[in-house]
Amino acid sequence: MDSKNQTTRVKILDKYILKKFLTTYVFVVLVILAVICAIDYSEKSDDFIKHSLTFKQIVVEYYSNFIMHIIGLITPLMVFITTVFVTSRMAGRTEIIAMLSGGMSYLRLFVPYMIGASIIAIFSFYLNGWVIPRANKIKIAFETAYVKKPFSFDERNVHSKIDSNTYVYLQSYNNNTFNGRKFTIERIENRKLVEKLSAENITWDTLKQTWHIDDYKIHTFFAERELILKGKDMDTLMGLLPKDFESKYRYNETLTLPEIDEYIAEQKARGTALELGIYYVEKYQRYASPFAIIILTLMGVVVSSKKTRQGTSFNIALGFVLAFVFILFVVVARSLGQSGALDPRVGAWIPNIIFGIVAIYLYWRAPK
């Protein structure tokens, strides 16, 4: 009977902790969102006024998607702060001591936290993998139209590989008129040039969705001779589109997980794999983020479950210090992964690995 009562009591405590954990997380996120949105609005209000944007445009097109973006960024840290805050208050009121004295083991104390963290982690993975990238598409398009300076493609002498055997060259391209100058496309087989098309101008036809080429020459190379065909104009399709010359401002944040894989495969086929560090890190970090939530929750319970003479404020301050250190690790590792100094997988996962080891060490050292 006593065992049954104890089991019932533990389940009640699980529900109590889980409820406090989830409700506090929601409250903390809402407060932080309100602060961030207020700061963001103060910075962008002049742009909103300059473009005579309506309340609906600002809220529906921008802030509804901006909020989703921020939730994806702050969730791991907000879970950590929530864990420290909830556990410190319970420790300060000697609730944790009472639980442990009542027969709950120290390891068993982690169960409701891990359940709550797992719920948030699964939800966060879905948001970061599919929902937030779609929201970012709208948010970034809004910023490009009303906040950022208009994008102008100003690269010169552009070389691109559009499939395993085909290479394209453009001296210049105007992304406003969809017009390119000094265009060349070459087909190479067995390290030999077999065909080359050159033209003075190439323009994207928005109605036909094809490239229109003016004053072109087609050189076809045979074993012992060359055939030249000249023409005034022609329409054609190839593995090059106007979107390839559009702004790549935070483009990695607008791709869902399947789209990131497709984009990486496409760029590798074009021979631009060296520029994909940012996309690899983005991909691996989306898988690493849910585990960061679990690890930070474990660490938060360990550092704040002991009642201290300094009180709750000390544990909360310690939590903020650890959160700052975690952010620093993530930023540095992400930058190194994007630049190629670190393997992108290492850049995405090393903060989790380091803080996971620290969390296990702190748990091992904690009085049971």
Side-chain angles (χ1 to χ4, degrees), residues 124-312:
S124 174
F125 177 70
Y126 175 70
L127 287 181
N128 285 320
W130 288 269
V131 178
I132 293 175
R134 295 188 182 106
N136 281 338
K137 283 184 175 72
I138 302 172
K139 179 185 78 74
I140 291 173
F142 182 96
E143 290 175 340
T144 303
Y146 303 117
V147 179
K148 302 293 180 182
K149 292 181 180 179
F151 173 73
S152 178
F153 186 87
D154 56 4
E155 292 184 31
R156 304 280 294 182
N157 300 318
V158 180
H159 297 265
S160 180
K161 182 180 179 182
I162 60 176
D163 62 40
S164 59
N165 298 317
T166 310
Y167 300 81
V168 166
Y169 165 80
L170 278 169
Q171 185 185 77
S172 63
Y173 181 81
N174 188 317
N175 62 294
N176 295 311
T177 61
F178 306 107
N179 176 258
R181 294 276 301 161
K182 302 294 183 181
F183 167 76
T184 299
I185 181 169
E186 299 177 338
R187 185 162 59 88
I188 298 175
E189 295 178 0
N190 298 322
R191 298 184 180 183
K192 292 183 179 180
L193 180 63
V194 296
E195 190 173 68
K196 174 181 177 181
L197 184 151
S198 58
E200 288 297 314
N201 290 288
I202 181 171
T203 306
W204 179 254
D205 191 319
T206 55
L207 294 177
K208 296 181 180 179
Q209 295 291 293
T210 59
W211 289 104
H212 183 79
I213 300 175
D214 295 311
D215 299 323
Y216 64 88
K217 291 181 183 179
I218 299 177
H219 300 256
T220 305
F221 299 93
F222 299 96
E224 298 178 356
R225 61 192 179 92
E226 174 186 353
L227 177 65
I228 301 176
L229 175 66
K230 297 181 180 180
K232 185 177 181 182
D233 59 70
M234 67 179 291
D235 293 329
T236 187
L237 284 171
M238 55 184 160
L240 190 72
L241 295 170
K243 69 176 185 178
D244 296 315
F245 302 99
E246 293 175 356
S247 172
K248 291 296 186 287
Y249 169 68
R250 303 181 82 165
Y251 184 62
N252 57 304
E253 298 176 7
T254 69
L255 301 176
T256 64
L257 280 173
E259 288 172 344
I260 287 180
D261 288 334
E262 290 175 9
Y263 182 81
I264 289 174
E266 177 183 308
Q267 295 305 309
K268 287 175 70 175
R270 291 186 176 187
T272 55
L274 294 177
E275 303 172 7
L276 294 175
I278 187 172
Y279 296 93
Y280 278 115
V281 172
E282 182 74 28
K283 172 186 174 179
Y284 295 130
Q285 197 157 50
R286 292 185 193 180
Y287 287 103
S289 181
F291 291 93
I293 292 172
I294 304 296
I295 293 168
L296 291 174
T297 301
L298 172 63
M299 181 180 290
V301 176
V302 172
V303 301
S304 56
S305 58
K306 183 180 177 182
K307 187 174 182 178
T308 62
R309 293 180 180 178
Q310 295 90 340
T312 304

